[in-house]
Amino acid sequence: MALIEGETSPELSDLMEHEKVIEQGLATFIDVGWALMQIRDGRKYRAIGFDTFEAYCQDRWDLTRQHANRLIAATGIVGDLEPRGSIPTSEKQVRPLAALPDPEARSEAWEEAVEEAGGQPTAKQVAKAVAKRTVKKKEHPAPFSDPILDTIAKRVDGSGTVLDPFAGTGRVHELRDRAEIGSTVGVELEPEWAAKHPDTIEGNALDLPLGDGEVDAIATSPTYGNRMADHHDATDDSARHTYKHTLGHDLHEDNSGSLQWGDEYRAFHLRAWTEAVRVLRPGGLFVINVKDHIRGGDKQEVVAWHLDTVGRTLGLELIALDVVPTRGLMAGQNHDKRTVAEIVATFRKAAA
């Protein structure tokens, strides 16, 4: 695509400077990743007529968005390293280090792999060093279950790009094995969980790093506002199955995992769904997995609120409602009154 001649806007000027870095040999993957990050996060691709980062990468550089995002993620990881001697020379070497959120652990794993290789290690050698340091407690406490994934796959089959703005550890990417879809993108606020999959971007669901109408479908599960949002420490030695206690530290202030069902929960998710609808193309699908829960012996109408908000408030059309049986947790204050099913609701955004 030809650049505009003559006087240039600041946005176009910035874009041209970043593109020089990419053009000059894809000099190093670190420089390229940094330049792509500036273009993506600043949405500078719009200066030369592209509506989406994905279209820009594909048409301008013959890069898939997934690979562009891997280069961006690798740039950040290399910035965390304090290598003595060899530094990474390819994105593939860096990719396994994403599973370690702690910079010190990443540096240690890299140095161990370098020592084993006697120089530049292979990605397999790096992955071996990383595996020794993977902390199991960082797994997400509420990932998509297989029945939910199968149901969502049925609804998004045939879509282009599918986004999960609350990606957790990245099970949304398994949709690629269950349906005919073009690609998946995850956005996750907690770096430990974002690092679990190379196609997940560390970012905020309230301010998505995507352009208007950039994705073809959204498939996600909000927090339910139940006891998993508890964030106090037990006064005894009992275990807590919560977002905070599974992660191992306090959640980010914009993480809804600490919000109990109530006004604050509803205000947060209205903002999140409004932002999600912004990045969804006209005619695109919006699929949410949600569930009611019991509080003080009474059912909390979480599902009805989400359906009403996405449908009536935001104006999307409900086109399918799947009821998926679920076992739920068999312990806790209301274990004998568990709700017995989760809902997968599929909406369609109005065509332009």
Side-chain angles (χ1 to χ4, degrees):
M1 176 176 290
L3 296 177
I4 300 169
E5 294 183 357
E7 209 172 305
T8 59
S9 67
E11 187 177 49
L12 179 55
S13 225
D14 285 348
L15 176 67
M16 292 169 68
E17 287 301 313
H18 297 314
E19 288 200 333
K20 283 180 186 176
V21 175
I22 301 173
E23 283 174 338
Q24 287 168 357
L26 296 160
T28 73
F29 76 95
I30 301 171
D31 293 335
V32 172
W34 183 87
L36 286 169
M37 179 173 62
Q38 302 306 309
I39 293 168
R40 183 195 70 187
D41 294 352
R43 300 177 190 170
K44 300 180 187 298
Y45 46 82
R46 297 178 300 184
I48 52 173
F50 288 101
D51 293 327
T52 68
F53 182 62
E54 181 173 27
Y56 167 78
C57 290
Q58 188 67 58
D59 293 353
R60 188 88 172 96
W61 305 111
D62 196 26
L63 283 174
T64 64
R65 178 166 57 182
Q66 285 93 337
H67 189 56
N69 285 333
R70 288 189 189 114
L71 288 167
I72 292 169
T75 299
I77 292 169
V78 172
D80 285 342
L81 299 180
E82 296 179 0
R84 295 175 293 278
S86 297
I87 63 171
T89 58
S90 77
E91 179 273 328
K92 283 186 178 180
Q93 291 172 297
V94 178
R95 197 181 305 176
L97 296 171
L100 297 171
D102 179 56
E104 184 176 351
R106 287 173 174 173
S107 292
E108 290 175 355
W110 173 253
E111 292 301 328
E112 181 178 315
V114 168
E115 183 176 348
E116 178 182 343
Q120 284 291 319
T122 64
K124 186 174 180 180
Q125 288 171 319
V126 178
K128 179 181 175 182
V130 166
K132 296 179 182 179
R133 296 165 171 82
T134 302
V135 182
K136 294 298 183 182
K137 74 174 182 178
K138 302 301 184 186
E139 296 298 335
H140 198 276
F144 284 128
S145 66
D146 285 334
I148 293 296
L149 270 179
D150 288 338
T151 303
I152 293 174
K154 177 178 65 176
R155 295 302 174 191
V156 301
D157 190 50
S159 297
T161 300
V162 180
L163 164 71
D164 185 351
F166 297 116
T169 55
R171 289 210 75 189
V172 66
H173 304 297
E174 296 178 35
L175 289 174
R176 301 194 295 240
D177 301 322
R178 301 169 187 249
E180 292 294 327
I181 58 177
S183 61
T184 53
V185 179
V187 174
E188 169 55 42
L189 193 56
E190 301 295 347
E192 293 93 332
W193 292 334
K196 292 290 184 179
H197 198 283
D199 292 333
T200 296
I201 303 166
E202 185 181 336
N204 195 327
L206 301 180
D207 185 20
L208 293 169
L210 298 164
D212 295 353
E214 190 167 344
V215 302
D216 301 291
I218 290 168
T220 192
S221 182
T223 57
Y224 299 162
N226 57 13
R227 292 300 299 271
M228 287 184 66
D230 289 353
H231 47 276
H232 59 278
D233 294 319
T235 57
D236 52 27
D237 60 356
S238 61
R240 297 283 184 185
H241 186 72
T242 71
Y243 294 99
K244 171 188 171 177
H245 293 89
T246 302
L247 187 62
H249 58 71
D250 288 338
L251 305 180
H252 187 285
E253 61 181 2
D254 284 340
N255 190 326
S256 66
S258 63
L259 297 179
Q260 303 284 353
W261 174 245
D263 290 343
E264 190 176 356
Y265 173 98
R266 291 186 282 270
F268 174 92
H269 285 90
L270 175 58
R271 289 179 61 195
W273 294 155
T274 301
E275 177 68 352
V277 171
R278 176 186 68 78
V279 304
L280 181 64
R281 70 164 175 82
L285 299 176
F286 192 127
V287 184
I288 58 171
N289 161 224
V290 69
K291 181 185 177 186
D292 292 327
H293 64 274
I294 305 297
R295 179 63 58 89
D298 298 322
K299 186 172 78 167
Q300 307 302 301
E301 301 290 346
V302 180
V303 172
W305 181 85
H306 283 285
L307 297 184
D308 184 65
T309 298
V310 177
R312 185 177 62 83
T313 306
L314 298 179
L316 278 67
E317 178 190 5
L318 180 65
I319 61 173
L321 195 66
D322 296 293
V323 179
V324 183
T326 182
R327 183 168 178 264
L329 296 175
M330 293 295 106
Q333 184 178 6
N334 297 297
H335 71 278
D336 58 337
K337 299 177 181 178
R338 298 290 181 200
T339 52
V340 295
E342 296 184 50
I343 300 298
V344 175
T346 304
F347 296 84
R348 188 182 302 280
K349 185 176 178 179

